[in-house]
Amino acid sequence: MKTEKNMASTLTLLPLTASHGLMHVMAAALPVLSLLVMDEFQLTYTAVGLLSFAFAAAIGLGSILAGLLSDRFDGIMLISLGFFFTAILAAILLLSRNFLSLTLIFIIMGFFLSFYHPSALSSITKSFKIKRGRAYGVHETGASIGMAITPLIAAFISFYYGWRFVYLFLAVPAVFFAFLLFMMMKSEREGGWRKEQKFFSDVSANTNANDLELKAFLRQIISTGSLRRIYVIEGLFGFVIGGALTFIPIFLNEAKGLGPEFAVTITCVFTAGGAIGKFVGGHLSDFVDERKVMAIGFFLVTPLFLVVSFLPLFWAIMALALAGLIFPTVLPAIITTIGKEIEPSRTGIAFGLLMFAGFGFAAISRLILGLVSDSFGIATVFYPIVIATLVGGVLNCTKTFKEKS
């Protein structure tokens, strides 16, 4: 019986890992393509940051609703719906011809992409009672592989067909995963369709219950110091990743003299090592204190981001590659900590708020980095990132020191 349950959990984890990769390809494509979008619409760095801010903020805010829904309804169905409507919006993107319509489409797309994380992480938490860190690490590996190939996909397609066709291309696997997950959900649960019909009819009826649940959980976060800290650390993680992913291609083009398509392609050096980093971070989280994993990850990347602006092109690329390998070890440790501290019935909203913190700070990061770049030059774009990594490391060390005292 135990073997069958483990096998069922693994079979759920594999398609979620693959779909996690697609989710991050679709989420990371806009930051990676920001240089090309900036050229077409003649945008300032601040305007580019504003567009990415709106997109990431929509994912973050939508994650709260998605978290509440995933605690009540089938999370796999939510993911399926999110992919399906994201694919439709990716096709509509071809029709946008001004900055306002472009921003509106990305805001709605971000909302549907937000369905993924709370539902998937909640499902994994409920499926794996032991060695969750390893499960989270495997799941996050999918995201890193997706982020690693995003610059390559974006550069190749945009070179021949333009940047909008990147999203049209991604709409095809989005529809595929929408139907794959839907069929998987139906095969695993008898009467699955009747349950999903209830989903559509009960959302409005559960609004008051959702509000009460959210308020109760917010009170729990406020009153629990360890939870407050982990949400802040997730926010700092999102600040670093979101800002770096958006402005690395712009930095390589403007400060290092690479062409737009080549700068987009080279961005993969920052994203490529994340799969290894998250896999290692997940395993370490099962055997080492999660805060130590987080502290080491934050502190090790601080000097790398600090010196990258002063290095020649080759060594700047090497520094970014090393940072992209080390820093992702932090994320499985963050997720494992949440999984340990939250009761199973609240994992959806817990992870929804975690994604809100991550994508919310990522949105703010893009806006701040845009303003800094416009005010002081693109070479200064990494300084706010350095401050965020230092704060993240100090927060983890402070908590560990207090417990030892």
Side-chain angles (χ1 to χ4, degrees):
M1 181 67 70
K2 186 175 181 180
T3 303
E4 291 179 359
K5 186 175 181 180
N6 291 338
M7 180 64 68
S9 298
T10 302
L11 291 176
T12 301
L13 181 61
L14 292 178
L16 284 177
T17 301
S19 59
H20 195 196
L22 175 62
M23 187 276 167
H24 276 274
V25 171
M26 303 195 81
L30 176 60
V32 169
L33 292 168
S34 58
L35 178 60
L36 302 179
V37 177
M38 183 175 72
D39 286 345
E40 177 178 333
F41 291 96
Q42 296 299 300
L43 303 176
T44 64
Y45 297 131
T46 303
V48 170
L50 181 62
L51 175 62
S52 291
F53 166 84
F55 181 50
I59 297 177
L61 289 170
S63 295
I64 298 177
L65 174 61
L68 290 167
L69 293 176
S70 66
D71 282 336
R72 290 167 171 77
F73 309 107
D74 194 294
I76 303 299
M77 183 61 180
L78 289 173
I79 298 172
S80 178
L81 288 171
F83 276 136
F84 180 76
F85 287 109
T86 299
I88 293 175
L89 288 161
I92 295 174
L93 193 62
L94 289 172
L95 304 177
S96 66
R97 287 296 177 266
N98 58 70
F99 185 70
L100 180 61
S101 64
L102 183 75
T103 304
L104 181 61
I105 291 171
F106 273 112
I107 288 173
I108 302 173
M109 187 185 297
F111 172 76
F112 284 112
L113 283 175
S114 73
F115 286 13
Y116 181 82
H117 281 106
S119 302
L121 292 173
S122 180
S123 297
I124 292 172
T125 301
K126 294 170 183 175
S127 298
F128 290 86
K129 304 302 180 185
I130 59 173
K131 294 185 178 180
R132 285 178 179 167
R134 182 179 300 178
Y136 294 138
V138 171
H139 182 247
E140 290 299 327
T141 299
S144 289
I145 293 174
M147 292 178 68
I149 65 176
T150 300
L152 303 178
I153 294 173
F156 179 80
I157 296 176
S158 61
F159 181 79
Y160 289 101
Y161 303 106
W163 67 266
R164 285 182 178 82
F165 278 86
V166 174
Y167 280 93
L168 187 63
F169 173 83
L170 294 175
V172 177
V175 171
F176 169 78
F177 275 103
F179 282 100
L180 173 66
L181 293 171
F182 177 75
M183 296 307 297
M184 185 179 76
M185 178 273 302
K186 285 192 69 176
S187 65
E188 288 180 352
R189 297 170 177 83
E190 291 184 5
W193 178 243
R194 288 191 298 273
K195 184 176 181 180
E196 304 319 320
Q197 284 181 318
K198 187 184 177 203
F199 167 83
F200 292 106
S201 62
D202 281 2
V203 170
S204 58
N206 280 288
T207 299
N208 292 333
N210 290 348
D211 290 342
L212 292 174
E213 180 77 12
L214 179 58
K215 290 176 181 178
F217 190 72
L218 287 175
R219 284 195 295 269
Q220 181 182 354
I221 294 175
I222 293 170
S223 61
T224 308
S226 58
L227 281 178
R228 289 199 307 269
R229 191 180 301 269
I230 203 67
Y231 278 100
V232 173
I233 291 170
E234 166 66 12
L236 293 170
F237 179 86
F239 186 97
V240 173
I241 291 293
L245 194 60
T246 301
F247 283 92
I248 283 175
I250 298 175
F251 168 79
L252 292 175
N253 179 68
E254 302 286 343
K256 300 301 181 182
L258 297 181
E261 285 80 12
F262 193 39
V264 170
T265 305
I266 294 299
T267 304
C268 71
V269 302
F270 178 70
T271 58
I276 298 173
K278 288 179 179 178
F279 187 76
V280 171
H283 277 67
L284 287 176
S285 298
D286 284 331
F287 304 105
V288 182
D289 189 289
E290 294 90 350
R291 286 182 296 276
K292 292 180 180 178
V293 177
M294 290 184 271
I296 292 171
F298 273 102
F299 278 133
L300 286 182
V301 298
T302 298
L304 297 173
F305 283 122
L306 182 62
V307 302
V308 69
S309 298
F310 303 100
L311 296 174
L313 176 62
F314 174 80
W315 292 109
I317 291 174
M318 291 298 101
L320 290 172
L322 190 57
L325 174 66
I326 295 171
F327 195 55
T329 58
V330 170
L331 189 56
I334 293 173
I335 296 172
T336 302
T337 304
I338 290 292
K340 286 181 178 179
E341 298 217 16
I342 302 300
E343 60 188 69
S345 63
R346 285 184 171 178
T347 52
I349 182 56
F351 287 124
L353 288 171
L354 191 72
M355 292 305 108
F356 171 70
F359 281 99
F361 273 70
I364 295 170
S365 169
R366 289 155 179 170
L367 193 57
I368 290 175
L369 267 58
L371 289 167
V372 168
S373 300
D374 275 331
S375 301
F376 304 105
I378 191 64
T380 64
V381 74
F382 293 105
Y383 295 162
I385 291 176
V386 169
I387 294 172
T389 56
L390 279 174
V391 173
V394 169
L395 280 175
N396 285 291
C397 286
T398 302
K399 177 65 176 177
T400 304
F401 177 77
K402 285 182 178 179
E403 289 188 348
K404 287 183 178 179
S405 299

